[in-house]
Amino acid sequence: MNNKPVSARVLDAAIAWQLCLDSGSGSSEERAEFSRWLAADEEHARAWMQLGMLDQRFTAAAGPARQALLQSRASLRQRVRKLGRGVASLVLVVGLLSWVSAHQSLGYWLADQRTATGEQRTLRLTDGTLISLNTHSAVDIRFDEKERLIVLHEGEVSIETGHKDDRPFVVASADGRMRALGTRFLVKMEDQGTRLSVLQSAVAARPQDSGDEQILHEGQQVLMTHDQLGKITSLGVGADAWTRGMLVVDNVRLSDLIDELGRYRSGYLNVAPEVADLRITGSFPLNDTNLALTSLLPTLPVQIEQHTPWWVTVVACPAKDPQYKSK
């Protein structure tokens, strides 16, 4: 595979295949036809790789497409520059960026460090700081003479700062900046903002569009938006349990538990409305979400419907004894 431009005809065909497969309505015959098209000509495979059209449901495409996207920041920029010649190349670049924007943020793919769905990773930085990335997380590491900066693009990180460096240690998100005061803390991107949880010592938090800075102490958490800090509350049970491979919940809605488990597995995980409000307390393994789901059966009147490996639903169990049912 290389970055040589492809013909407009082949590029159009690749884009058409991407739209067909990403729609989710592709039949088995269409997927088989796509596999034959991909293997028929080296130019077809090269166009698909350059587009970076990745969909794990279609394993024939996953290999070359994943390699196209999982490149370093420098190599991706270099490829974009090389592809920037001619009409076909321009369409190719636009197609790549459009697909990335629709499926993941560009910051995620260009980040210095990132984890895939279900993956966790721990790094020791040059200053001795220990940083752990949770599932599907992405950060940039920007250390200079003035400060040690971590930029969180997606997901969640655990930070244990190194203490033999006088430069300020800051974690930044789209919502603001969090300055460590010799501490251990969590930062998580949520739909409503950025959640800061202080596990040890203290952290000073300042929203992006506000001059107000507030210090949070051990055992406290807050949701920060771009213009304000929310109400400071106590940490929940097991806030950092994910760093040990576990999810710990205390009297939460089943729907909330399923949403959290869904962050650690590919595909569609859902819960039926009639059982969504059931309450549950317990500990669940994050490295085996199927086992976590099965552990619900002895305590709740539910069963697991597995339509495909990527489509699983928790539904009400009509029988007295819950059971695992596959479809």
Side-chain angles (χ1 to χ4, degrees), residues 271-298:
V271 59
E274 59 267 24
V275 294
D277 291 329
L278 294 176
R279 314 295 294 194
I280 182 116
T281 296
S283 301
F284 303 88
L286 294 175
N287 60 354
D288 189 343
T289 54
N290 285 328
L291 177 60
L293 291 172
T294 303
S295 68
L296 299 173
L297 305 185

PDB file of all heavy atoms in Angstrom, residues 271-298:
ATOM      1  N   VAL A 271     -30.992  -1.484  26.952  1.00  0.00           N
ATOM      2  CA  VAL A 271     -31.851  -2.061  27.982  1.00  0.00           C
ATOM      3  C   VAL A 271     -33.295  -1.703  27.661  1.00  0.00           C
ATOM      4  O   VAL A 271     -33.586  -0.568  27.252  1.00  0.00           O
ATOM      5  CB  VAL A 271     -31.441  -1.560  29.378  1.00  0.00           C
ATOM      6  CG1 VAL A 271     -31.517  -0.042  29.471  1.00  0.00           C
ATOM      7  CG2 VAL A 271     -32.291  -2.212  30.471  1.00  0.00           C
ATOM      8  N   ALA A 272     -34.191  -2.662  27.830  1.00  0.00           N
ATOM      9  CA  ALA A 272     -35.599  -2.429  27.539  1.00  0.00           C
ATOM     10  C   ALA A 272     -36.205  -1.462  28.559  1.00  0.00           C
ATOM     11  O   ALA A 272     -35.850  -1.488  29.737  1.00  0.00           O
ATOM     12  CB  ALA A 272     -36.358  -3.757  27.549  1.00  0.00           C
ATOM     13  N   PRO A 273     -37.132  -0.604  28.126  1.00  0.00           N
ATOM     14  CA  PRO A 273     -37.712   0.408  29.031  1.00  0.00           C
ATOM     15  C   PRO A 273     -38.354  -0.192  30.274  1.00  0.00           C
ATOM     16  O   PRO A 273     -38.315   0.416  31.342  1.00  0.00           O
ATOM     17  CB  PRO A 273     -38.745   1.110  28.145  1.00  0.00           C
ATOM     18  CG  PRO A 273     -38.278   0.878  26.743  1.00  0.00           C
ATOM     19  CD  PRO A 273     -37.633  -0.470  26.740  1.00  0.00           C
ATOM     20  N   GLU A 274     -38.956  -1.384  30.158  1.00  0.00           N
ATOM     21  CA  GLU A 274     -39.673  -1.949  31.298  1.00  0.00           C
ATOM     22  C   GLU A 274     -38.762  -2.376  32.453  1.00  0.00           C
ATOM     23  O   GLU A 274     -39.235  -2.581  33.573  1.00  0.00           O
ATOM     24  CB  GLU A 274     -40.534  -3.140  30.857  1.00  0.00           C
ATOM     25  CG  GLU A 274     -39.761  -4.282  30.221  1.00  0.00           C
ATOM     26  CD  GLU A 274     -39.691  -4.162  28.713  1.00  0.00           C
ATOM     27  OE1 GLU A 274     -39.825  -3.031  28.204  1.00  0.00           O
ATOM     28  OE2 GLU A 274     -39.505  -5.203  28.058  1.00  0.00           O
ATOM     29  N   VAL A 275     -37.459  -2.504  32.199  1.00  0.00           N
ATOM     30  CA  VAL A 275     -36.543  -2.863  33.282  1.00  0.00           C
ATOM     31  C   VAL A 275     -35.478  -1.787  33.507  1.00  0.00           C
ATOM     32  O   VAL A 275     -34.600  -1.949  34.347  1.00  0.00           O
ATOM     33  CB  VAL A 275     -35.850  -4.220  33.004  1.00  0.00           C
ATOM     34  CG1 VAL A 275     -36.873  -5.345  33.016  1.00  0.00           C
ATOM     35  CG2 VAL A 275     -35.084  -4.185  31.685  1.00  0.00           C
ATOM     36  N   ALA A 276     -35.557  -0.691  32.776  1.00  0.00           N
ATOM     37  CA  ALA A 276     -34.513   0.343  32.846  1.00  0.00           C
ATOM     38  C   ALA A 276     -34.385   0.955  34.228  1.00  0.00           C
ATOM     39  O   ALA A 276     -33.296   1.356  34.647  1.00  0.00           O
ATOM     40  CB  ALA A 276     -34.797   1.440  31.815  1.00  0.00           C
ATOM     41  N   ASP A 277     -35.492   1.019  35.001  1.00  0.00           N
ATOM     42  CA  ASP A 277     -35.466   1.694  36.296  1.00  0.00           C
ATOM     43  C   ASP A 277     -35.189   0.753  37.465  1.00  0.00           C
ATOM     44  O   ASP A 277     -35.216   1.194  38.628  1.00  0.00           O
ATOM     45  CB  ASP A 277     -36.788   2.423  36.522  1.00  0.00           C
ATOM     46  CG  ASP A 277     -36.955   3.621  35.590  1.00  0.00           C
ATOM     47  OD1 ASP A 277     -35.918   4.226  35.244  1.00  0.00           O
ATOM     48  OD2 ASP A 277     -38.098   3.946  35.223  1.00  0.00           O
ATOM     49  N   LEU A 278     -34.936  -0.505  37.209  1.00  0.00           N
ATOM     50  CA  LEU A 278     -34.539  -1.408  38.286  1.00  0.00           C
ATOM     51  C   LEU A 278     -33.243  -0.905  38.910  1.00  0.00           C
ATOM     52  O   LEU A 278     -32.385  -0.328  38.219  1.00  0.00           O
ATOM     53  CB  LEU A 278     -34.347  -2.825  37.762  1.00  0.00           C
ATOM     54  CG  LEU A 278     -35.594  -3.558  37.247  1.00  0.00           C
ATOM     55  CD1 LEU A 278     -35.209  -4.913  36.666  1.00  0.00           C
ATOM     56  CD2 LEU A 278     -36.613  -3.726  38.358  1.00  0.00           C
ATOM     57  N   ARG A 279     -33.071  -1.111  40.214  1.00  0.00           N
ATOM     58  CA  ARG A 279     -31.880  -0.640  40.908  1.00  0.00           C
ATOM     59  C   ARG A 279     -30.915  -1.795  41.149  1.00  0.00           C
ATOM     60  O   ARG A 279     -31.334  -2.939  41.345  1.00  0.00           O
ATOM     61  CB  ARG A 279     -32.246  -0.001  42.250  1.00  0.00           C
ATOM     62  CG  ARG A 279     -33.402   0.970  42.224  1.00  0.00           C
ATOM     63  CD  ARG A 279     -33.134   2.205  41.399  1.00  0.00           C
ATOM     64  NE  ARG A 279     -32.094   3.066  41.944  1.00  0.00           N
ATOM     65  CZ  ARG A 279     -31.882   4.322  41.547  1.00  0.00           C
ATOM     66  NH1 ARG A 279     -32.643   4.847  40.572  1.00  0.00           N
ATOM     67  NH2 ARG A 279     -30.929   5.045  42.074  1.00  0.00           N
ATOM     68  N   ILE A 280     -29.624  -1.466  41.131  1.00  0.00           N
ATOM     69  CA  ILE A 280     -28.617  -2.508  41.297  1.00  0.00           C
ATOM     70  C   ILE A 280     -27.412  -1.967  42.048  1.00  0.00           C
ATOM     71  O   ILE A 280     -27.043  -0.802  41.894  1.00  0.00           O
ATOM     72  CB  ILE A 280     -28.173  -3.074  39.933  1.00  0.00           C
ATOM     73  CG1 ILE A 280     -27.165  -4.184  40.101  1.00  0.00           C
ATOM     74  CG2 ILE A 280     -27.581  -2.003  39.057  1.00  0.00           C
ATOM     75  CD1 ILE A 280     -27.592  -5.493  39.646  1.00  0.00           C
ATOM     76  N   THR A 281     -26.811  -2.824  42.856  1.00  0.00           N
ATOM     77  CA  THR A 281     -25.574  -2.544  43.565  1.00  0.00           C
ATOM     78  C   THR A 281     -24.617  -3.709  43.324  1.00  0.00           C
ATOM     79  O   THR A 281     -25.038  -4.868  43.363  1.00  0.00           O
ATOM     80  CB  THR A 281     -25.821  -2.394  45.081  1.00  0.00           C
ATOM     81  OG1 THR A 281     -26.656  -1.250  45.321  1.00  0.00           O
ATOM     82  CG2 THR A 281     -24.511  -2.216  45.838  1.00  0.00           C
ATOM     83  N   GLY A 282     -23.352  -3.389  43.062  1.00  0.00           N
ATOM     84  CA  GLY A 282     -22.409  -4.479  42.860  1.00  0.00           C
ATOM     85  C   GLY A 282     -21.131  -4.040  42.186  1.00  0.00           C
ATOM     86  O   GLY A 282     -20.922  -2.855  41.907  1.00  0.00           O
ATOM     87  N   SER A 283     -20.274  -5.034  41.937  1.00  0.00           N
ATOM     88  CA  SER A 283     -18.999  -4.816  41.253  1.00  0.00           C
ATOM     89  C   SER A 283     -18.987  -5.663  39.985  1.00  0.00           C
ATOM     90  O   SER A 283     -19.379  -6.841  40.020  1.00  0.00           O
ATOM     91  CB  SER A 283     -17.817  -5.202  42.149  1.00  0.00           C
ATOM     92  OG  SER A 283     -17.823  -4.439  43.346  1.00  0.00           O
ATOM     93  N   PHE A 284     -18.491  -5.074  38.887  1.00  0.00           N
ATOM     94  CA  PHE A 284     -18.558  -5.745  37.598  1.00  0.00           C
ATOM     95  C   PHE A 284     -17.213  -5.630  36.880  1.00  0.00           C
ATOM     96  O   PHE A 284     -16.602  -4.554  36.872  1.00  0.00           O
ATOM     97  CB  PHE A 284     -19.657  -5.117  36.733  1.00  0.00           C
ATOM     98  CG  PHE A 284     -21.015  -5.149  37.383  1.00  0.00           C
ATOM     99  CD1 PHE A 284     -21.421  -4.114  38.215  1.00  0.00           C
ATOM    100  CD2 PHE A 284     -21.858  -6.213  37.181  1.00  0.00           C
ATOM    101  CE1 PHE A 284     -22.658  -4.143  38.835  1.00  0.00           C
ATOM    102  CE2 PHE A 284     -23.108  -6.256  37.794  1.00  0.00           C
ATOM    103  CZ  PHE A 284     -23.501  -5.217  38.626  1.00  0.00           C
ATOM    104  N   PRO A 285     -16.753  -6.730  36.269  1.00  0.00           N
ATOM    105  CA  PRO A 285     -15.461  -6.693  35.563  1.00  0.00           C
ATOM    106  C   PRO A 285     -15.576  -5.937  34.247  1.00  0.00           C
ATOM    107  O   PRO A 285     -16.515  -6.146  33.472  1.00  0.00           O
ATOM    108  CB  PRO A 285     -15.152  -8.177  35.324  1.00  0.00           C
ATOM    109  CG  PRO A 285     -16.504  -8.829  35.258  1.00  0.00           C
ATOM    110  CD  PRO A 285     -17.371  -8.073  36.226  1.00  0.00           C
ATOM    111  N   LEU A 286     -14.621  -5.066  33.989  1.00  0.00           N
ATOM    112  CA  LEU A 286     -14.642  -4.277  32.758  1.00  0.00           C
ATOM    113  C   LEU A 286     -13.937  -4.975  31.602  1.00  0.00           C
ATOM    114  O   LEU A 286     -14.156  -4.624  30.448  1.00  0.00           O
ATOM    115  CB  LEU A 286     -13.994  -2.912  33.016  1.00  0.00           C
ATOM    116  CG  LEU A 286     -14.759  -2.004  33.981  1.00  0.00           C
ATOM    117  CD1 LEU A 286     -13.974  -0.735  34.252  1.00  0.00           C
ATOM    118  CD2 LEU A 286     -16.157  -1.689  33.453  1.00  0.00           C
ATOM    119  N   ASN A 287     -13.080  -5.943  31.900  1.00  0.00           N
ATOM    120  CA  ASN A 287     -12.373  -6.635  30.823  1.00  0.00           C
ATOM    121  C   ASN A 287     -13.183  -7.787  30.248  1.00  0.00           C
ATOM    122  O   ASN A 287     -12.738  -8.450  29.307  1.00  0.00           O
ATOM    123  CB  ASN A 287     -11.014  -7.149  31.318  1.00  0.00           C
ATOM    124  CG  ASN A 287     -11.151  -8.130  32.472  1.00  0.00           C
ATOM    125  OD1 ASN A 287     -12.247  -8.343  32.985  1.00  0.00           O
ATOM    126  ND2 ASN A 287     -10.033  -8.711  32.871  1.00  0.00           N
ATOM    127  N   ASP A 288     -14.369  -8.039  30.808  1.00  0.00           N
ATOM    128  CA  ASP A 288     -15.260  -9.077  30.278  1.00  0.00           C
ATOM    129  C   ASP A 288     -16.695  -8.614  30.500  1.00  0.00           C
ATOM    130  O   ASP A 288     -17.346  -8.984  31.478  1.00  0.00           O
ATOM    131  CB  ASP A 288     -15.000 -10.412  30.970  1.00  0.00           C
ATOM    132  CG  ASP A 288     -15.748 -11.574  30.307  1.00  0.00           C
ATOM    133  OD1 ASP A 288     -16.700 -11.300  29.539  1.00  0.00           O
ATOM    134  OD2 ASP A 288     -15.391 -12.741  30.564  1.00  0.00           O
ATOM    135  N   THR A 289     -17.188  -7.788  29.587  1.00  0.00           N
ATOM    136  CA  THR A 289     -18.522  -7.228  29.771  1.00  0.00           C
ATOM    137  C   THR A 289     -19.610  -8.286  29.602  1.00  0.00           C
ATOM    138  O   THR A 289     -20.710  -8.122  30.138  1.00  0.00           O
ATOM    139  CB  THR A 289     -18.765  -6.058  28.799  1.00  0.00           C
ATOM    140  OG1 THR A 289     -18.496  -6.486  27.455  1.00  0.00           O
ATOM    141  CG2 THR A 289     -17.868  -4.876  29.149  1.00  0.00           C
ATOM    142  N   ASN A 290     -19.343  -9.356  28.863  1.00  0.00           N
ATOM    143  CA  ASN A 290     -20.320 -10.445  28.777  1.00  0.00           C
ATOM    144  C   ASN A 290     -20.523 -11.083  30.150  1.00  0.00           C
ATOM    145  O   ASN A 290     -21.654 -11.388  30.548  1.00  0.00           O
ATOM    146  CB  ASN A 290     -19.865 -11.501  27.767  1.00  0.00           C
ATOM    147  CG  ASN A 290     -20.044 -11.040  26.333  1.00  0.00           C
ATOM    148  OD1 ASN A 290     -20.972 -10.285  26.020  1.00  0.00           O
ATOM    149  ND2 ASN A 290     -19.160 -11.465  25.459  1.00  0.00           N
ATOM    150  N   LEU A 291     -19.417 -11.290  30.878  1.00  0.00           N
ATOM    151  CA  LEU A 291     -19.511 -11.824  32.233  1.00  0.00           C
ATOM    152  C   LEU A 291     -20.246 -10.845  33.133  1.00  0.00           C
ATOM    153  O   LEU A 291     -21.058 -11.251  33.984  1.00  0.00           O
ATOM    154  CB  LEU A 291     -18.118 -12.110  32.779  1.00  0.00           C
ATOM    155  CG  LEU A 291     -18.040 -12.622  34.224  1.00  0.00           C
ATOM    156  CD1 LEU A 291     -18.792 -13.933  34.356  1.00  0.00           C
ATOM    157  CD2 LEU A 291     -16.586 -12.785  34.653  1.00  0.00           C
ATOM    158  N   ALA A 292     -19.976  -9.550  32.966  1.00  0.00           N
ATOM    159  CA  ALA A 292     -20.668  -8.542  33.763  1.00  0.00           C
ATOM    160  C   ALA A 292     -22.175  -8.600  33.524  1.00  0.00           C
ATOM    161  O   ALA A 292     -22.972  -8.506  34.471  1.00  0.00           O
ATOM    162  CB  ALA A 292     -20.124  -7.158  33.436  1.00  0.00           C
ATOM    163  N   LEU A 293     -22.582  -8.755  32.278  1.00  0.00           N
ATOM    164  CA  LEU A 293     -24.008  -8.842  31.971  1.00  0.00           C
ATOM    165  C   LEU A 293     -24.624 -10.105  32.549  1.00  0.00           C
ATOM    166  O   LEU A 293     -25.726 -10.088  33.110  1.00  0.00           O
ATOM    167  CB  LEU A 293     -24.210  -8.803  30.453  1.00  0.00           C
ATOM    168  CG  LEU A 293     -23.901  -7.477  29.765  1.00  0.00           C
ATOM    169  CD1 LEU A 293     -23.942  -7.633  28.254  1.00  0.00           C
ATOM    170  CD2 LEU A 293     -24.866  -6.389  30.214  1.00  0.00           C
ATOM    171  N   THR A 294     -23.915 -11.222  32.430  1.00  0.00           N
ATOM    172  CA  THR A 294     -24.429 -12.481  32.953  1.00  0.00           C
ATOM    173  C   THR A 294     -24.620 -12.420  34.467  1.00  0.00           C
ATOM    174  O   THR A 294     -25.532 -13.051  35.016  1.00  0.00           O
ATOM    175  CB  THR A 294     -23.471 -13.629  32.589  1.00  0.00           C
ATOM    176  OG1 THR A 294     -23.308 -13.676  31.170  1.00  0.00           O
ATOM    177  CG2 THR A 294     -24.006 -14.967  33.058  1.00  0.00           C
ATOM    178  N   SER A 295     -23.788 -11.637  35.149  1.00  0.00           N
ATOM    179  CA  SER A 295     -23.889 -11.543  36.606  1.00  0.00           C
ATOM    180  C   SER A 295     -25.158 -10.831  37.054  1.00  0.00           C
ATOM    181  O   SER A 295     -25.506 -10.864  38.242  1.00  0.00           O
ATOM    182  CB  SER A 295     -22.659 -10.833  37.170  1.00  0.00           C
ATOM    183  OG  SER A 295     -22.649  -9.456  36.796  1.00  0.00           O
ATOM    184  N   LEU A 296     -25.871 -10.191  36.146  1.00  0.00           N
ATOM    185  CA  LEU A 296     -27.144  -9.563  36.490  1.00  0.00           C
ATOM    186  C   LEU A 296     -28.246 -10.592  36.712  1.00  0.00           C
ATOM    187  O   LEU A 296     -29.214 -10.341  37.439  1.00  0.00           O
ATOM    188  CB  LEU A 296     -27.585  -8.606  35.377  1.00  0.00           C
ATOM    189  CG  LEU A 296     -26.683  -7.423  35.041  1.00  0.00           C
ATOM    190  CD1 LEU A 296     -27.219  -6.707  33.801  1.00  0.00           C
ATOM    191  CD2 LEU A 296     -26.597  -6.459  36.213  1.00  0.00           C
ATOM    192  N   LEU A 297     -28.125 -11.740  36.077  1.00  0.00           N
ATOM    193  CA  LEU A 297     -29.232 -12.685  36.005  1.00  0.00           C
ATOM    194  C   LEU A 297     -29.675 -13.253  37.354  1.00  0.00           C
ATOM    195  O   LEU A 297     -30.881 -13.420  37.572  1.00  0.00           O
ATOM    196  CB  LEU A 297     -28.879 -13.825  35.041  1.00  0.00           C
ATOM    197  CG  LEU A 297     -28.455 -13.382  33.624  1.00  0.00           C
ATOM    198  CD1 LEU A 297     -28.249 -14.583  32.724  1.00  0.00           C
ATOM    199  CD2 LEU A 297     -29.490 -12.433  33.022  1.00  0.00           C
ATOM    200  N   PRO A 298     -28.755 -13.562  38.278  1.00  0.00           N
ATOM    201  CA  PRO A 298     -29.227 -14.138  39.550  1.00  0.00           C
ATOM    202  C   PRO A 298     -29.968 -13.142  40.440  1.00  0.00           C
ATOM    203  O   PRO A 298     -30.702 -13.555  41.343  1.00  0.00           O
ATOM    204  CB  PRO A 298     -27.924 -14.599  40.231  1.00  0.00           C
ATOM    205  CG  PRO A 298     -26.921 -14.697  39.139  1.00  0.00           C
ATOM    206  CD  PRO A 298     -27.284 -13.608  38.179  1.00  0.00           C
TER     207      PRO A 298
END
